[in-house]
Amino acid sequence: MPGDWGTGSAPFVRSAEIITEPLADVIDSDEFTPRLLHLISNALVWRESRLLRRSFNLGTNDWRVLSALSIRPGATSMQISEFVAMNKAVVSKSVNTLIARGLIVPADGARGSRHLYLTRAGADMHDQMKPISLQGQEIVLSGLTSDEVTQLNELLRRLLQRTPRLSNAPDASRDE
């Protein structure tokens, strides 16, 4: 039941400033699209990360870098960061892990702008990790028809085209 997180009242604090009941004007969490997308994404990532760590001692971020390089050989860390929408520091950590494991190699160049390539071992690791990611997709889409999957993917691509507007939105704190 919404708002029923504890045993009712909050006996540890007595104050008129504490709100113990749900507010009247709230977001409908069952209809709030960003929340629904987030929950699906988290479920996929948690599942994938657990399986990848157990099987390969690599995580989802490492998989994303390998996958990006399988699609875009020679990408720089910055390009990978943009392609997979990951923080540059997270990509850098994964790149260092994958280099240390011999799964990718950097070409000559300044750190951060070096072109990165899969090694044969990296390509083999990609091929071993890929089914885990595809299985997650199958689980999520299993109840949909092929037409619904096509429609869903088209809608998601349309939404993605609008995401640059999210980062260009004015900072609300500046308006105060």
Side-chain angles (χ1 to χ4, degrees):
M1 182 159 131
D4 190 21
W5 292 91
T7 58
S9 64
F12 55 91
V13 178
R14 299 274 185 226
S15 171
E17 297 297 315
I18 296 174
I19 308 300
T20 61
E21 297 296 323
L23 299 178
D25 185 19
V26 297
I27 292 173
D28 181 347
S29 59
D30 289 334
E31 297 297 327
F32 189 59
T33 305
R35 176 182 178 268
L36 298 174
L37 290 170
H38 176 75
L39 291 174
I40 292 167
S41 177
N42 273 358
L44 285 166
V45 169
W46 291 339
R47 174 200 167 275
E48 180 177 87
S49 185
R50 186 179 65 251
L51 294 173
L52 293 175
R53 286 257 174 242
R54 185 180 335 143
S55 299
F56 306 108
N57 197 29
L58 292 169
T60 296
N61 295 331
D62 306 317
W63 159 246
R64 289 175 179 167
V65 170
L66 284 176
S67 180
L69 289 173
S70 76
I71 297 166
R72 297 182 173 189
T76 65
S77 291
M78 176 67 87
Q79 291 167 332
I80 292 169
S81 176
E82 291 169 3
F83 181 65
V84 297
M86 282 175 28
N87 179 286
K88 290 179 276 186
V90 174
V91 170
S92 179
K93 182 178 178 187
S94 285
V95 164
N96 290 333
T97 297
L98 296 170
I99 289 172
R101 295 266 306 259
L103 301 174
I104 65 174
V105 293
D108 290 335
R111 188 171 179 86
S113 65
R114 297 178 294 183
H115 297 273
L116 302 166
Y117 297 90
L118 293 176
T119 62
R120 174 51 43 208
D124 291 344
M125 180 63 70
H126 167 272
D127 293 348
Q128 293 173 49
M129 295 172 92
K130 182 179 154 189
I132 290 174
S133 195
L134 291 175
Q135 288 167 354
Q137 175 176 274
E138 288 174 23
I139 291 168
V140 169
L141 301 178
S142 65
L144 303 178
T145 67
S146 61
D147 286 344
E148 288 171 327
V149 171
T150 299
Q151 183 180 19
L152 173 63
N153 287 335
E154 175 57 32
L155 292 169
L156 290 171
R157 283 189 292 275
R158 283 177 45 201
L159 292 174
L160 277 172
Q161 289 174 350
R162 300 181 63 80
T163 58
R165 295 177 74 188
L166 294 173
S167 52
N168 294 332
D171 186 351
S173 65
R174 290 186 208 157
D175 298 336
E176 294 176 355

